[in-house]
Amino acid sequence: MIRTRLLALALAGLAAAAPVAASTAMSDRWAAEPPRVRSLLERAWAAETGKGSERNEPLAVALYCEAARYGSAEAHYRNGLLRAQGGREVRDAGLAKSFLAFAHELGHPAAGEALARHGLGDVPQQMPACLSDEHSYEQVAVVSEDRYVKSLPARRQDVAALVVRLAPEYDVDPRLARAIAGVESNFDRLAQSPKNARGVMQLIPETAARFNVKNPLDAEDNIRGGLAYLRWLSRHFKGDVLRVVAAYNAGEGAVQRHGSVPPYFETRAYVWRVLTMAGMGHALPAGLRN
């Protein structure tokens, strides 16, 4: 009887640990991705699995596709799998074949086997519209940011809370600051991009020096630098949140040259996602709204 109870407890423990282990394994696979791409992959995985919100496969494929535009083999692969074996809303053999084929060309180790396993050899390949349509990201619905943040590991929750706590010192809306930190690094204080943007707010060396950040990988120092930059942008653009967010992504010079949000897919997607996550979708012009 005692042995049976111990076995039952052990199995229950394994079952409870399985989702955490799966999530950790996925996160490890994305460790080499640039921070902004990794943030997209982590949020797409949360939508795909229901971690931190209700399961939402259309949201998952949209986020994976945005990550795929950055050239992520993993994003192509995950999207291909969802298109091949997901629910009725997202299943599409032609798109599955395209995403998995792109993943295979980009060197994903499991993509070729997935193509064969799902019997996609004779299926006509279909070009995913989201890889070429500038407005495809507008279909991305954003789940509750509060609920999502609460699903993160404790260390990242602490970083998100620090962003919210410090923002008022710089006259920055805490919701906006948290949304930018979430998009930039998903609250990872050690994040580093191929362009050497570092830390929670992804500060490049020039911006870090400009706002007196001594250690970009120290969470508070980095967040204060990012908030100081947001305060400067807000004053420079006279409180126009649309231009402030666009400039944080593309630089104030690009925003000044174009007069508003520059016509770059990355920046337009960034502005849409940040403001929607911050609950400020009302600030988006018609061309950047659903």
Side-chain angles (χ1 to χ4, degrees), residues 33-41 62-76 106 130-131 137 183-184 194-195 249 264-271 273:
E33 299 278 3
R36 201 172 294 156
V37 174
R38 183 170 181 173
S39 177
L40 284 164
L41 289 170
L63 291 170
Y64 282 135
C65 199
E66 189 176 334
R69 285 192 63 135
Y70 289 93
S72 167
E74 182 67 16
H76 281 289
L106 289 167
C130 62
L131 295 178
Y137 63 88
V183 170
E184 291 288 350
K195 295 181 180 178
N249 174 261
Y264 317 142
F265 170 82
E266 177 187 337
T267 303
R268 291 170 66 86
Y270 181 92
V271 169
R273 202 146 42 84

Side-chain angles (χ1 to χ4, degrees), residues 79-100:
N79 223 337
L81 289 186
L82 264 178
R83 292 297 192 179
Q85 61 195 30
R88 194 180 310 173
E89 281 185 290
V90 300
R91 192 174 300 183
D92 186 305
L95 290 175
K97 182 175 182 179
S98 290
F99 279 118
L100 290 172

Side-chain angles (χ1 to χ4, degrees), residues 38-251:
R38 183 170 181 173
S39 177
L40 284 164
L41 289 170
E42 289 176 342
R43 287 167 182 272
W45 176 250
E48 180 182 348
T49 60
K51 176 180 174 287
S53 65
E54 63 184 37
R55 196 170 179 213
N56 186 337
E57 289 185 337
L59 171 60
V61 297
L63 291 170
Y64 282 135
C65 199
E66 189 176 334
R69 285 192 63 135
Y70 289 93
S72 167
E74 182 67 16
H76 281 289
Y77 175 69
R78 296 299 321 170
N79 223 337
L81 289 186
L82 264 178
R83 292 297 192 179
Q85 61 195 30
R88 194 180 310 173
E89 281 185 290
V90 300
R91 192 174 300 183
D92 186 305
L95 290 175
K97 182 175 182 179
S98 290
F99 279 118
L100 290 172
F102 286 138
H104 184 58
E105 289 172 14
L106 289 167
H108 195 286
E113 187 274 332
L115 275 167
R117 184 174 74 250
H118 290 288
L120 299 172
D122 296 328
V123 174
Q125 199 162 324
Q126 182 181 337
M127 174 59 71
C130 62
L131 295 178
S132 57
D133 179 4
E134 186 183 78
H135 297 282
S136 63
Y137 63 88
E138 295 179 9
Q139 299 168 18
V140 178
V142 176
V143 296
S144 166
E145 190 66 3
D146 288 337
R147 194 170 170 185
Y148 174 74
V149 170
K150 287 176 183 175
S151 77
L152 294 171
R155 64 186 181 279
R156 294 201 189 192
Q157 289 187 49
D158 291 344
V159 170
L162 184 60
V163 172
V164 169
R165 179 169 65 80
L166 294 176
E169 291 185 30
Y170 295 83
D171 296 320
V172 176
D173 189 309
R175 298 172 302 163
L176 181 66
R178 187 178 69 170
I180 287 176
V183 170
E184 291 288 350
S185 70
N186 216 17
F187 313 109
D188 180 1
R189 67 180 182 84
L190 299 178
Q192 185 162 338
S193 81
K195 295 181 180 178
N196 206 28
R198 304 173 81 187
V200 178
M201 305 297 281
Q202 286 293 278
L203 304 179
I204 60 173
E206 294 81 359
T207 304
R210 180 178 169 190
F211 293 99
N212 301 312
V213 175
K214 301 293 188 267
N215 180 5
L217 297 183
D218 176 80
E220 183 167 345
D221 200 7
N222 187 285
I223 291 166
R224 286 188 179 279
L227 292 171
Y229 185 34
L230 284 169
R231 178 174 60 188
W232 185 91
L233 289 171
S234 184
R235 291 172 178 172
H236 184 71
F237 291 114
K238 298 179 170 49
D240 184 341
V241 69
L242 195 68
R243 291 194 290 171
V244 168
V245 176
Y248 197 92
N249 174 261

